[in-house]
Amino acid sequence: METGRFTQTDLAKYPFLKETAKLVKQLGLKIEEVANPDMAVILNRAEERVREAILSISVGKKREANVEIPSFPVALMLVIATKNSFIKRRYALAEAKQAFSDMQAESSEKILAIARDFDWNIELNRDFAVPLEFAVSFADYLRNTTHLRDKKWKLVNRLLANGKVYLNKQDVTRLLQEEVQRRIEKRLEATELPALPEKIVEIATRLLELAKESIGQEEMEGFPKVVTQSAFPPCIVALYEAASKGRHLSHIGRFTLTSFLVNIGMSPEKVAELFKSFSDYNERLTRYQIEHIAGERGSRTRYTPPQCVTLQTHGVCVNPDALCRRVRHPLTYYKRKQRQFSSSLPKAS
Amino acid sequence: MASRDFVYKKFSEFYSNPSTVTPQLSMIGQRELGFLLFKERVMVRHKSFESMSSLKRFLSETVPSDVYHSCAYYENPEAEMSKKGWLGADLVFDIDADHIPTPCDKVHDEWTCTNSKCGFSGKGITPEACPICGGQKFETKTWACELCLEAAREETAKLIDILEKDFGFSHQEMRVFFSGHRGYHVQIEKDAVKTLDAMARKEIVDYVSGIGLSILEDEAKGKTQKRRRSTPFHLHNFGWHKRLKLGLQSFIMRATKDDLKNVGIKGNYAAFLENREVLLKRCIEENRWDSVRGIGVGTWRKLAKYVQSLEAAKIDTVVTTDIHRLIRMSGTLHGKTGLLKVEFPAKSLEDFDPLREAVAFKEGTARVSVSEAPEFRLGDNTLGPYKNQVVELPTAAAVLLICKGRAEVAQ
């Protein structure tokens, strides 16, 4: 393996790299020692990392490598100790964004080295006809873009030739940001915790309090219990009408409609009613399928409807309206529209 | 029932014949197998086999009408869905004449309204609703004519071209099959694609189908969402843009006034037809898209949209995105035709003759009473058309007509 691709400064800047992890291992940092007074500067920096992530999706000002490097694994430990999924996501995002911004100033070779730390199949583009610096395998590209919303990330809008997607530095680093976020989220998945020093628990509790203050209520809100038909997105309106008239629905159409209705709080009995007018209606089977989707049977997973992009691919998306342009999931549409209604209603006193 | 028994007997002979070669199924131990049972007409799923020889024994003992395997690899192929332990899946594409508009307009297909009080029937593409009673459920008898198969072949050729030039798969990495009915399958078992999730596969589907091309959108969102402007039209020389360019070139070279009308261009036919050379050279080759008066951004976009539909490979989108899909196994019989699913090299797609290579029953004849069948070919035999008559047919043809519900064994 190539060693020495990264300097000490790099390792401090990109603490999520495999090489940094190796270095930390060599340092032999012990959990019990973290609470020692001579480690205070590291512990403080670790807390700052998480605090800044919660408050402003950043990780605060950098220190010298000998503080910066060990503060990352300690910060991970603090986040795990909060046992809070919001903090986990938020912290991973903050570190990833910081990495993205730091990578802007790096040389192409350094970018290659970081990408290869994530096992990417990437090389510098040698085809002068293409004015883009990097060539990345389409599989690595797809793994990191399917969550990105902007149309420019769709593979169909990219330069794809011979299995390689051609990208500039800005785009490559944006994809690496996704990669960093996933790697950190993965490290935060650990649920089995060793006995933690009191000091750590204390800080974790403090961070949790902070998070609770700054999480908007919106995050916690579920769906109101009343089904508001006028808030259905156009695709669901079309499916709903087709179903109530007994018109044939594709498999994915039925699934979308059922999972949508179940998720907004309609009872399986009520949903089954809707499918009654189908000529191939079979009560027992229909009930079974609906309860399966609702998570009352089988794998006990409650299924949600597919995302808008998936519905587009399979031809279920019809008559998108202005609100559709701003959401990427039929349930989000419903939630927003419903909120619009309730805010425009006169307040009952 | 005698007819069903006859087909069952033929399938049984096929699977127990020691000279029948069933091609090796890769990673057989990690795949789920599924079978449609002949008599019970039920699907048996979640089976797994250690080896080809145990699978072959099962086939000869059970004689299913259709045999499927998962594209996916599992830790426990026999466990229920949520406990299988998904390890990865081949990347598969399904092209079926059912999903493609074909030049035959499916005149050979028959549909019957299943409303017990109605029962109206007709030929061709099944309507949305019955013209008599308005019912929307039909029983169909399909047929695969040479035009259907040819249309499916053309879509497959486009798919292979995209997978090769854009996605970089070699002909060796693309396994191509005739499905045994009306279409083709393309399967890629390369490690790099096995772990792609459903969302990543959806992006591949969109690419192959040309869905979401921003160049084809009339308006782009401005910085502030309110202000809209028409996006300029410009194509570079890679990926889909290159495909659009090539498509535009060939369209411009042979377009007639009627073609232009079809595409939705109004009025400026002359500007178009008299300037072919300029359009090809200045606009497409030199990227000066506004150099012909009367042919602006709107026209180019309309043309490009039309060309996109020509260049896209019309695949069954659901199959590719389903990472647990069961797909027919190569070397087994199709219950609707008695033909084999057969593999052939990607490079010989052009010369491949499905109605010869997929024939399984090569010996003997059978007397059948045919209700109705169009003229058709199997191997070197051109047969039919038949209507309400008893004929002596080669076994493969007799099985095909019985499976298609067009004939019964003659008493």
Side-chain angles (χ1 to χ4, degrees), chain B residues 14-15 21-26 28 31-35 49 51-52 55-56 59 66-70 175 177-180 185 187 326-334 339-343:
Chain B
F14 175 82
Y15 286 121
V21 181
T22 316
Q24 176 70 36
L25 176 60
S26 64
I28 183 168
R31 295 193 195 254
E32 175 195 353
L33 274 283
F35 309 91
F49 295 84
S51 65
M52 283 307 285
L55 172 59
K56 273 157 116 170
L59 293 180
D66 300 84
V67 183
Y68 306 92
H69 68 77
S70 63
R175 302 186 62 188
F177 307 86
F178 170 62
S179 74
H185 298 160
Q187 184 166 352
L326 292 181
I327 194 156
R328 187 174 302 282
M329 186 171 136
S330 180
T332 65
L333 297 163
H334 196 304
L339 294 172
L340 285 166
K341 173 170 170 177
V342 277
E343 181 168 8

Side-chain angles (χ1 to χ4, degrees), chain A residues 129-130 138-139 142-143 146 151 154-157 159-163 246-247 279-280 299 309-310 313-314 325, chain B residues 82 136-137 165-169 195 200 202-204 206-207 211-214 217 228 236 238 240 317 321:
Chain A
V130 186
F138 78 86
L142 289 179
R143 259 184 264 283
T146 48
K151 271 210 148 180
K154 277 193 81 61
L155 187 60
V156 76
N157 290 319
L159 275 173
L160 174 66
N162 254 314
R247 281 217 305 272
S279 46
D280 57 346
S299 59
V309 283
T310 307
T313 298
H314 302 304
R325 251 178 248 136
Chain B
S82 56
Q136 290 176 333
K137 190 79 184 168
K165 297 201 177 107
D166 296 10
F167 286 89
F169 296 115
T195 52
K202 189 196 82 68
E203 281 300 306
I204 297 175
D206 287 353
Y207 191 95
I211 294 175
L213 273 163
S214 27
E217 281 168 20
R228 303 188 160 278
H236 52 66
F238 307 92
W240 255 98
T317 56
T321 53

Side-chain angles (χ1 to χ4, degrees), chain A residues 265-318:
Chain A
M266 201 184 258
S267 67
E269 296 77 33
K270 225 31 202 303
V271 180
E273 196 91 349
L274 186 61
F275 290 106
K276 255 191 184 143
S277 46
F278 282 141
S279 46
D280 57 346
Y281 177 75
N282 170 332
E283 185 173 357
R284 200 180 52 84
L285 192 65
T286 307
R287 276 294 295 277
Y288 176 82
Q289 286 169 343
I290 294 170
E291 286 169 7
H292 196 96
I293 291 173
E296 293 170 14
R297 279 170 186 274
S299 59
R300 308 273 152 180
T301 326
R302 178 195 272 196
Y303 291 89
T304 51
Q307 296 182 34
C308 295
V309 283
T310 307
L311 297 176
Q312 280 155 18
T313 298
H314 302 304
V316 180
C317 169
V318 289

Side-chain angles (χ1 to χ4, degrees), chain A residues 206-222:
Chain A
R206 204 150 66 213
L207 290 168
L208 195 57
E209 284 305 310
L210 183 68
K212 276 185 184 153
E213 279 167 35
S214 53
I215 301 172
Q217 274 307 303
E218 202 168 311
E219 294 271 335
M220 316 296 290
E221 246 171 48

Side-chain angles (χ1 to χ4, degrees), chain B residues 180-196:
Chain B
H181 190 207
R182 303 220 257 198
Y184 292 88
H185 298 160
V186 176
Q187 184 166 352
I188 296 161
E189 302 183 1
K190 216 178 159 188
D191 280 339
V193 300
K194 279 183 183 168
T195 52
L196 292 175

